[in-house]
Amino acid sequence: MRQQQLNTRGFDAYRTHLLREERAPSTIANYLRAIQAFSAWLDGRAVTKELAAAWKEHLLARGQAPVTVNAKLSALNGFLRFSGLDGCRVKLLKLQRRAFRDGSRELTRDEYQRLLDAARSRGQERLELLLETICATGIRVSEARYITVEAARRGRADVSLKGKVRTILLPGKLCRKLLKYAKKRKTAAGEIFLTRGGRGLSRRQIWREMKGLCGQAGVEPSKVFPHNLRHLFATAFYRATRDIARLADVLGHSSIETTRIYLLATGAEHARQLERLGLVS
């Protein structure tokens, strides 16, 4: 097996490869961050399977969550395959399927409403409408650019991601609010959620604005991030339809197993379910 030292040229080539694969910008950033961390840990040593396995142990020793470790290993394995170093790839950790999720990070419907109220009282109309749009449709924050004037008029948005196109239906009430906001901002066509300079909102800006609502809304900052709005949509949709296959299509999941993670009960809910079994005298 040939050995190879990691270098910036290889990272740039892999970035280009990921772009051609139409990976999301956030995914590319995460992959490259993991690979660069591995490179820094190597400290100039050539890549070997033994060192790749040692890095896995290093991440675990630092107390990183198994899910986080697997995400970094997946990024590294993809890069090693691209670099012709298949023999250096390492196995992911085997994770037992979770029966429930951490309720301390669960955004409730009441907390969501308090965030909307806080945005409204602060005069942050764009942020309030963006939160409603994500939560009412289940789109990813990176897909907000597909919410256009044309989409609001049609009542649906065609979202393209990872080489797949899916159609998102927009509730009528939401469409009316989007068009009213666009008219107020004199946006006749194209993206609705724009900066004052006419550019699309960045993920970082959306995160920062959302976190700014926490104090007034009385919601823990650990619960306030765009993806939690998507989770809230998923649980509300499933409770209304009980159709996990349809929900997977709406969310753009290629596997129902991914959708199932969204629907896990919280630890408190799981405990109540156990109590209702009545198996303790």
Side-chain angles (χ1 to χ4, degrees):
M1 182 196 313
R2 67 188 180 89
Q3 293 186 338
Q4 177 178 309
Q5 291 180 318
L6 304 188
N7 54 58
T8 303
R9 183 180 300 175
F11 300 155
D12 290 342
Y14 191 52
R15 179 188 289 109
T16 300
H17 167 73
L18 293 173
L19 286 169
R20 288 173 179 165
E21 291 286 312
E22 298 183 358
R23 297 301 183 96
S26 58
T27 299
I28 295 175
N30 288 335
Y31 280 14
L32 293 176
R33 192 178 300 115
I35 297 162
Q36 288 162 353
F38 175 63
S39 178
W41 179 82
L42 280 178
D43 195 24
R45 292 173 290 180
V47 182
T48 65
K49 184 176 180 64
E50 290 73 23
L51 285 176
W55 189 57
K56 176 169 69 172
E57 297 303 321
H58 166 74
L59 295 176
L60 289 170
R62 291 183 59 193
Q64 297 197 13
V67 172
T68 301
V69 173
N70 274 354
K72 293 182 177 181
L73 294 178
S74 293
L76 177 60
N77 283 343
F79 176 72
L80 293 175
R81 183 186 301 111
F82 171 78
S83 303
L85 296 169
D86 268 343
C88 296
R89 295 165 57 207
V90 292
K91 292 183 178 180
L92 303 186
L93 300 170
K94 291 184 178 180
L95 304 179
Q96 181 175 344
R97 180 179 292 180
R98 291 186 299 168
F100 53 87
R101 63 176 177 268
D102 183 3
S104 67
R105 288 173 59 84
E106 183 76 5
L107 184 70
T108 66
R109 187 184 289 264
D110 177 66
E111 289 168 332
Y112 162 64
Q113 187 59 56
R114 299 208 305 266
L115 290 172
L116 294 180
D117 293 341
R120 189 179 308 117
S121 68
R122 291 159 64 104
Q124 293 179 278
E125 184 180 8
R126 181 186 65 194
L127 179 59
E128 179 190 0
L129 186 54
L130 177 60
L131 298 185
E132 286 188 307
T133 300
I134 295 175
C135 202
T137 61
I139 61 171
R140 301 174 177 89
V141 66
S142 61
E143 297 170 340
R145 68 183 186 274
Y146 294 103
I147 305 301
T148 62
V149 173
E150 295 81 1
R153 287 174 180 157
R154 292 194 306 266
R156 66 182 188 276
D158 294 322
V159 175
S160 176
L161 187 68
K162 299 180 181 178
K164 298 182 294 184
V165 178
R166 74 184 195 281
T167 299
I168 298 296
L169 298 181
L170 307 178
K173 186 175 181 180
L174 176 64
C175 289
R176 291 190 291 273
K177 295 182 74 169
L178 288 168
L179 291 173
K180 182 179 179 180
Y181 174 77
K183 183 177 181 180
K184 182 178 179 180
R185 291 292 302 271
K186 296 182 171 56
T187 303
E191 290 183 53
I192 291 178
F193 297 110
L194 300 170
T195 64
R196 291 181 180 178
R199 296 182 178 179
L201 297 176
S202 69
R203 178 190 299 266
R204 180 175 297 181
Q205 181 175 356
I206 295 170
W207 271 64
R208 184 174 63 249
E209 290 186 7
M210 286 184 65
K211 294 292 185 183
L213 300 175
C214 296
Q216 185 170 339
V219 181
E220 288 295 324
S222 61
K223 296 184 175 187
V224 181
F225 51 94
H227 204 68
N228 246 4
L229 298 174
R230 186 166 150 89
H231 271 267
L232 182 55
F233 166 83
T235 54
F237 185 97
Y238 182 72
R239 284 170 182 164
T241 66
R242 295 294 170 180
D243 190 338
I244 192 171
R246 186 176 166 200
L247 176 58
D249 289 338
V250 171
L251 294 175
H253 290 160
S254 56
S255 169
I256 287 181
E257 284 303 303
T258 303
T259 312
R260 192 194 67 81
I261 295 172
Y262 280 59
L263 304 178
L264 290 176
T266 63
E269 290 172 322
H270 186 66
R272 286 194 293 270
Q273 291 164 355
L274 293 177
E275 292 292 340
R276 285 197 293 269
L277 295 178
L279 296 176
V280 178
S281 60

